[in-house]
Structure formats: structure tokens, C-alpha cells
Amino acid sequence: MGLRSFRLGALFGIPLLVNPSWFLLAGLTTWFLATQFYPAAFEGASRWTHLWMAGASVAAFFASIVLHELAHSMVARRFRIPVKSITLFVFGGVAQITREAARPLQELLMALAGPLMSLALGAAFAGSWWLLGGRADRGIDYVLVWLAIMNMALGLFNLLPAFPMDGGRVFRAALWLVTRNHALSTGIAAWTGRGFAWGMAGLGLLAVLGRDVVVADSVAGGAWLVLIGLFLENAARQSLVQNRLVRELAQYRAEDVMVADAPVVDARQPVGPLARGALELNPRAVYLVSDGDRLAGVLSGYELRAVPEPLWDSTPAGAVMVPKDALRATARDRLVSDVLLEMEMEELLHMPVVENGRVIGIVARDRIVGLLRQAGLLGTARA
């Protein structure tokens, strides 16, 4: 999404983030509703009435998107899969779920939760309109009908089998149930998603050129369809690349890539001797930092490079180390693919390998990256 998101709040402990690109979509939608859609639909109302109708519609619809993503998130939590955040951005919203489901039925339920929430919200807005009398002389009626239609459309659109959209994940779950092969199912679903994306972009291009393609009958609608198609194609392609990376790393366990019996240094020791050795001779060196007989943290070239050379001999290791509380431990038999995923989600550079309460090694992210480079998958990976 490019621009850095900021935190708006939290729902059930899940951070709610807003990407600045979301304001572009919110602004354009508000403008279109206030100046084009509602004036044509509700001709007798004032400009201010059209404006509040547009504002209420956009606010309620994006709240609906949050509920859509929250449904995914709550099902994921039910299966003990952590959710890092929910983010609103220019194409709607996304729940950042930290790992894949362990079983196809879990994947199926997680994927279906969002569209079912949108369809339920659409029915609720339609029901509210009916209960209020379904009149044509009040702004609230038009708003409720628009929200009902948009939520229904969102739910149905997300059920298209275009991976990594919800429908594509439902499709993958069904394939996974049949084939019992997650990697194969992901590959088929992702290529199907790319096909849908190319078709969508193609229809959008025809609309831009002046053709009525039903789903878009204007230049603006066609351009938006092209953008969505390109976004989905890129997402599906990245899923294919990620699938290849995961398959490669799943061949290794933490003990295969860890630095065993890492050197131990005292927290009070100046970093000068370590920096001269690590930065000049072995930039991938990793040290365990002790405070007496306790583990205090981890120190590597990343932290040493942040210390200006004139301060090397006056800066203790404990002042620049990654403290123990900021580390996450792992087991020696854990798949490296899972280790890297946790490192990425938690923004970790190192992960201690612990056995029977004792640190027996350190997994560094750059060593995992090295494996991918050796396999020719990093930087050159293409679907």
C-alpha cells in the first residue's frame, strides 16, 4: 500500500489502522454520492441533504467493511491464529492474519466469514428500510437502500473464486479438502485468481475505450476496474512466489540454520572488540549477552553498526543489545518457514532456539534469506 498507515483505535484488542490512500477512496465516494448519485435519485432535496446522505453512507459503509474484516479476524482467533491488525486502504480493507490455517475446514470458515457478514449487513439494512416504511420522500430511505445494495454487492463480489480474495480462499479450501495438498491447491487457486484479474483488467480497458461491458459503462468505472484487476493480479502473483518460498523453507528446521553455541559476552563489556571483529571479519556474528548467569539479550552486527566508531570503547553491550523481553523463542524442530513468518510479523531479526529452558542457538533472519538466495528464489522468483 506504499504509504505508512496510522492507528485509529482497536476492536477486541485488534489494532484498527487507516492507510492514507483510504482518504482518496472516501473522498471520491463522498463527492460522487453528494454531487451525482443522490441528486439524481432524490431530486427534491437540498444540496446539504445530499451532502449528509453521502457522509452517512460513506461512514456506515466503511464501518461495514471493518465488520467484514472483523468477522475474518474473530474466526481466525477461534482457531488460535493471531491477527496483527485490520487496515482500511484504497481498495477497502484487509485483516492481517499472521499465518495460514492448519486445516482446510478452518480456511473455509475463515474465508466465508467476511462475505457472510456483508450479506447479513445488506439484509439488515434492507430490513431496516422495510421496517421504516420504505418511503421515497426521506433521505434515510435512500441511504439504507444504497447500503443494502453495496453490502450485498461486496459480499457477492468477494465470493468470486479470484485468489487471494475470499472466494479464492474458499476455492483453495475446497481444493485442499480434495487433494490434501496445500501447496498444489494454492498454486491452482492463485493461477485461477490471475486469470480473473486479467479478465477484469481487460473488461475495464474495453470500458475505457468506450465499450459498454455491463460491469462498467464509463471511463471512470473502467479505469477503476483496471486498477482492481492489476491489484488482484499482483496479489495472486505474490501468493505464487510466497508459496514457492514456503515450500523451499519447509525443508529445513530451526536447528538446521541456527548458530549453535553462540559466544557469550558480559552486558558490561564494551562493544569495541566485538565491533572490530564482527563488522570487519564476520558481519553475521551473533552474541548472547549475559547479566551474571542470566540471559540479558542478543547482540549482532545490526546493533553494532548503529554505534558510532568513536563510542565503541565506551558503550557497553547491554546498552545496544536486543533485550530478552523483545525476543521470541522457538523450538529446534520448528519449520524455518514458520520461523521466518513469525520474524516478519513481529519485526524480529533474531530468534533464540530454546530446549529444556536453555538457549542452544540463534536463528538469524539473514541466514534464512541466504538459503533463499542459494535456491535462486530471492529477487529472481517469478510465477
Side-chain angles (χ1 to χ4, degrees):
M1 288 176 278
L3 302 173
R4 187 177 182 85
S5 302
F6 62 89
R7 179 166 174 156
L8 188 64
L11 294 170
F12 300 98
I14 302 171
L16 176 60
L17 308 180
V18 177
N19 188 270
S21 65
W22 173 81
F23 291 100
L24 173 63
L25 178 60
L28 288 175
T29 306
T30 303
W31 171 83
F32 172 74
L33 291 175
T35 64
Q36 306 293 319
F37 183 79
Y38 283 136
F42 192 19
E43 296 180 355
S46 68
R47 182 175 62 180
W48 291 109
T49 298
H50 293 149
L51 186 59
W52 80 252
M53 289 169 65
S57 299
V58 169
F61 182 60
F62 281 104
S64 300
I65 291 177
V66 171
L67 290 175
H68 175 112
E69 299 302 333
L70 186 63
H72 288 305
S73 303
M74 299 310 288
V75 175
R77 280 188 162 185
R78 173 66 180 80
F79 295 124
R80 302 184 184 280
I81 301 175
V83 180
K84 187 174 183 180
S85 64
I86 293 173
T87 303
L88 292 175
F89 69 117
V90 69
F91 291 113
V94 61
Q96 193 171 8
I97 296 172
T98 57
R99 61 176 173 83
E100 299 275 14
R103 297 181 178 86
L105 184 58
Q106 294 178 359
E107 168 90 350
L108 181 66
L109 294 175
M110 284 167 54
L112 282 174
L116 290 179
M117 172 61 78
S118 292
L119 293 174
L121 287 170
F125 284 121
S128 299
W129 170 76
W130 181 77
L131 288 173
L132 289 174
R135 293 163 53 181
D137 59 345
R138 299 179 304 188
I140 187 63
D141 293 86
Y142 290 92
V143 171
L144 289 172
V145 170
W146 185 85
L147 288 169
I149 293 172
M150 291 301 294
N151 275 282
M152 291 286 188
L154 177 64
L156 293 174
F157 177 75
N158 270 275
L159 285 174
L160 290 175
F163 192 85
M165 284 171 44
D166 298 335
R169 294 186 178 276
V170 170
F171 180 46
R172 180 175 70 172
L175 290 171
W176 190 3
L177 280 167
V178 173
T179 65
R180 303 294 178 182
N181 188 318
H182 181 269
L184 175 63
S185 302
T186 299
I188 295 173
W191 274 108
T192 303
R194 294 185 78 179
F196 267 92
W198 288 329
M200 192 178 298
L203 289 174
L205 184 59
L206 289 175
V208 169
L209 296 176
R211 305 289 291 273
D212 185 352
V213 294
V214 182
V215 291
D217 58 359
S218 66
V219 172
W224 189 246
L225 205 58
V226 169
L227 287 175
I228 294 176
L230 293 176
F231 173 78
L232 291 177
E233 200 283 331
N234 179 69
R237 179 160 40 86
Q238 291 302 317
S239 296
L240 284 169
V241 173
Q242 183 180 3
N243 189 39
R244 293 174 62 190
L245 300 182
V246 169
R247 278 186 294 168
E248 175 65 26
L249 293 179
Q251 302 178 61
Y252 303 94
R253 300 190 180 276
E255 62 183 347
D256 299 325
V257 298
M258 71 182 185
V259 177
D261 300 319
V264 179
V265 300
D266 190 271
R268 294 176 291 275
Q269 176 182 335
V271 300
L274 305 177
R276 292 183 185 94
L279 300 183
E280 297 171 9
L281 302 176
N282 185 14
R284 290 189 176 183
V286 180
Y287 303 95
L288 296 175
V289 182
S290 67
D291 183 8
D293 58 353
R294 297 183 300 107
L295 174 68
V298 170
L299 183 63
S300 71
Y302 292 106
E303 292 76 44
L304 294 173
R305 275 190 287 271
V307 182
E309 186 171 354
L311 301 179
W312 281 359
D313 293 321
S314 60
T315 302
V320 294
M321 68 180 181
V322 179
K324 180 181 66 175
D325 292 343
L327 297 172
R328 297 284 292 273
T330 191
R332 67 187 306 159
D333 60 348
R334 191 178 183 193
L335 294 177
V336 172
S337 54
D338 293 337
V339 172
L340 179 60
L341 179 61
E342 184 172 356
M343 284 182 162
E344 292 290 341
M345 297 306 299
E346 300 296 333
E347 300 180 354
L348 303 173
L349 296 174
H350 299 92
M351 187 173 287
V353 181
V354 176
E355 186 174 58
N356 297 325
R358 186 176 69 90
V359 177
I360 61 171
I362 299 288
V363 175
R365 186 160 59 178
D366 59 1
R367 289 177 69 88
I368 301 177
V369 170
L371 284 178
L372 297 175
R373 286 203 179 98
Q374 290 174 16
L377 294 176
L378 195 65
T380 59
R382 286 183 173 86

